[in-house]
Amino acid sequence: MNTQQADVLILGAGPAGLLLSQLLHQSGVRSIIVERTSKERVLSRIRAGVLERGTVEALHEANCATRLEAERIDHDGLILSFDGDQVSIPIHELTGHRVTVYGQTDITADLVDACEAREQQIYWNCPDTVLSKLTSEQPCAHFTDPTRGRVEIQAKIIAGCDGFRGVARQSIPAHIRTESERVYPFGWLGVLVDKPPVAHNVLYANHAEGFALASMRSQTRSRYYVQTSPGETVEDWSIERFWTTFKARLGPLSDGLETGEPVEMSITPLRSYVCDQMQHGKLFLAGDAAHIVPPTGAKGLNLAVADVRRLARAITQWDKGYEADLMRYSNEALSRVWKVERFSWYLTALMHQFDDHSVFEKKMQRAEFDYIRASTAAQLSIAENYVGLDY
Ligand code: RFL
Ligand code: PHB
């Protein structure tokens, strides 16, 4: 057994874990990262793409924003379309802020590069981590490293950044955990394609046949989605079926759409989930390990970054001898988490077709859309949530 000591052990090398280690490094706190899968797999994941201003700030704080600054595309607004009618929400005019298009895949690559440049210790390919003694002064992790064999890490703090299916949250005894969940009766089929984006801004469309979303990664790479039925898999969708469905749901807004073979095509289920304890003893959860939002609103990655920023500051204070921020972390993070859950749930409810909706509920969706079109107050509410609530 190899035994190692660490101030902070970070479980998971997704954006949350990598950013936490980078922010801690900036303030002189050393960490070790343990990741279930390979570096190649982590770098190949295609997920989110729209960044709140706070996320951009965090990447600057982490000193990982050089490529972001060279390649970012800033958006002044977003478009909602409902049965062919549209409203363009001028988020910059209303809030003074913009959102930024820059892919999660690129953020992860930038963070891995930064970790490697400073020789951050990362254990890749370790799928069997077990956490123990979480409520003691010396919590532990045991796992098998493919080259070194069994490893024990004795830490002072463990950060659970290991995503929704990780072990960190599961290590909190079930009788202590309070979990709230809503699973939506549909998924999103996402297509990444090397063609210029059809719309200037991110465009969310609710059509009688279902939801569609047009987004982008660059001036030459587009990210498009359509709502899928429960139980559908990628095998049920040829790329021809995708383009026909996408065009129909966008209506005239699809004019000029350039189609092609996908670089990637996958289905994501939609879920809202919160674990109301983001701390258990010396274990602190951040990102998808603690909560999931449906992707409507583009909040998953941004929420993970908001947690990490708060946790990094609290750990930095703890390292200097002040523990109060760390003890407040769970409650303060959750207060923001629930507001973001609300916005993601609201936009999901407004923009999708639900099989069990009665005429009344359909009329409510339409009335809400008409209200947004007519009301600056309603648009401001969407805009301030979309650019990101204060920390
Ligand atoms: P991640 O990205 O899931 O990273 C967690 C990392 O932990 C590793 N891990 C473990 N490591 C050690 N031991 C274990 N036992 C472990 N178990 C797991 C995993 O291999 C992984 O490397 O969580 P993190 O860092 O909190 O980041 C959160 C974001 O990734 C997530 O919120 C967003 O990507 C959500 N999401 C989307 N959000 C958006 O805002 N817009 C989107 O379009 C969007 N698309 C998506 C998504 C999430 C998806 N998932 C999780 C299936 C599409 C997909 C497919
Ligand atoms: C994306 O660009 O992948 C994206 C944009 C907006 C969303 C979700 C995903 O709400």
Side-chain angles (χ1 to χ4, degrees):
M1 173 84 76
N2 296 285
T3 303
Q4 239 187 306
Q5 317 283 328
D7 283 342
V8 182
L9 169 70
I10 299 174
L11 211 53
L18 292 166
L19 179 64
L20 180 61
S21 106
Q22 185 66 16
L23 288 173
L24 290 177
H25 168 76
Q26 299 293 115
S27 38
V29 182
R30 292 178 52 190
S31 64
I32 295 176
I33 302 178
V34 182
E35 164 60 45
R36 179 183 50 137
T37 185
S38 66
K39 182 170 117 183
E40 293 65 37
R41 259 204 86 186
V42 164
L43 290 175
S44 66
R45 291 187 185 123
I46 312 254
R47 291 186 181 170
V50 177
L51 310 185
E52 295 177 356
R53 64 199 166 97
T55 300
V56 172
E57 278 167 23
L59 292 166
H60 277 276
E61 268 171 36
N63 208 8
C64 281
T66 310
R67 194 155 68 103
L68 165 74
E69 282 308 318
E71 296 178 13
R72 65 189 278 178
I73 304 175
D74 286 354
H75 282 184
D76 286 348
L78 72 102
I79 302 164
L80 301 181
S81 158
F82 202 103
D83 281 343
D85 295 324
Q86 287 109 46
V87 53
S88 185
I89 300 184
I91 50 181
H92 180 251
E93 192 184 308
L94 291 168
T95 66
H97 302 293
R98 299 180 168 89
V99 290
T100 298
V101 169
Y102 188 72
Q104 178 170 333
T105 317
D106 301 299
I107 292 178
T108 308
D110 296 345
L111 288 167
V112 167
D113 285 352
C115 283
E116 289 185 343
R118 62 182 168 79
E119 298 184 359
Q120 164 70 38
Q121 187 167 16
I122 306 182
Y123 285 94
W124 300 102
N125 293 303
C126 302
D128 63 350
T129 301
V130 175
L131 303 180
S132 60
K133 300 197 270 181
L134 294 174
T135 52
S136 76
E137 287 306 308
Q138 195 175 69
C140 282
H142 292 89
F143 56 90
T144 313
D145 176 70
T147 51
R148 296 184 212 194
R150 292 295 293 163
V151 179
E152 175 183 68
I153 298 188
Q154 300 172 346
K156 292 183 182 154
I157 286 179
I158 298 182
C161 302
D162 54 346
F164 185 59
R165 307 215 172 272
V167 290
R169 187 182 68 254
Q170 306 297 338
S171 308
I172 303 176
H175 68 276
I176 298 177
R177 263 184 277 141
T178 316
E179 297 171 286
S180 316
E181 183 172 50
R182 164 127 208 225
V183 178
Y184 298 87
F186 41 72
W188 279 17
L189 170 63
V191 162
L192 187 69
V193 63
D194 278 328
K195 296 285 176 190
V198 65
H200 207 62
N201 282 328
V202 179
L203 159 60
Y204 297 83
N206 186 347
H207 176 271
E209 296 297 318
F211 169 80
L213 164 60
S215 181
M216 65 191 71
R217 289 292 175 274
S218 69
Q219 301 299 357
T220 55
R221 183 169 265 203
S222 301
R223 181 71 165 151
Y224 299 139
Y225 300 89
V226 295
Q227 177 181 349
T228 56
S229 300
E232 275 189 319
T233 64
V234 180
E235 287 69 44
D236 298 319
W237 283 81
S238 64
I239 189 66
E240 292 74 25
R241 180 180 171 207
F242 175 84
W243 290 125
T244 310
T245 306
F246 184 69
K247 273 189 205 167
R249 293 185 187 179
L250 252 49
L253 291 171
S254 72
D255 286 355
L257 173 73
E258 292 188 40
T259 63
E261 282 306 308
V263 178
E264 195 258 0
M265 202 164 162
S266 56
I267 290 190
T268 309
L270 267 68
R271 179 195 304 270
S272 299
Y273 168 89
V274 180
C275 172
D276 254 320
Q277 288 76 28
M278 290 175 67
Q279 176 188 3
H280 175 62
K282 296 286 190 264
L283 170 69
F284 297 85
L285 302 180
D288 280 14
H291 40 69
I292 293 288
V293 288
T296 337
K299 292 293 168 215
L301 170 65
N302 291 301
L303 195 49
V305 170
D307 289 350
V308 163
R309 226 176 158 191
R310 190 185 302 276
L311 185 57
R313 286 177 189 171
I315 292 177
T316 304
Q317 287 301 310
W318 160 86
D319 188 56
K320 292 180 183 152
Y322 305 104
E323 208 181 29
D325 284 359
L326 201 51
M327 293 306 113
R328 281 197 292 262
Y329 167 75
S330 178
N331 282 346
E332 291 187 351
L334 280 163
S335 146
R336 190 175 187 280
V337 164
W338 277 111
K339 290 180 197 147
V340 177
E341 288 282 347
R342 183 206 69 83
F343 178 66
S344 304
W345 159 82
Y346 162 78
L347 212 55
T348 302
L350 175 67
M351 297 309 293
H352 290 79
Q353 291 290 322
F354 291 75
D355 284 347
D356 63 351
H357 267 184
S358 65
V359 172
F360 179 80
E361 283 148 332
K362 288 183 194 294
K363 293 270 186 196
M364 285 296 103
Q365 274 187 331
R366 178 73 216 193
E368 177 72 22
F369 177 76
D370 288 341
Y371 170 56
I372 295 165
R373 272 223 292 185
S375 162
T376 307
Q379 291 182 23
L380 174 58
S381 169
I382 291 176
E384 70 179 3
N385 279 280
Y386 202 73
V387 295
L389 298 175
D390 284 341
Y391 282 30

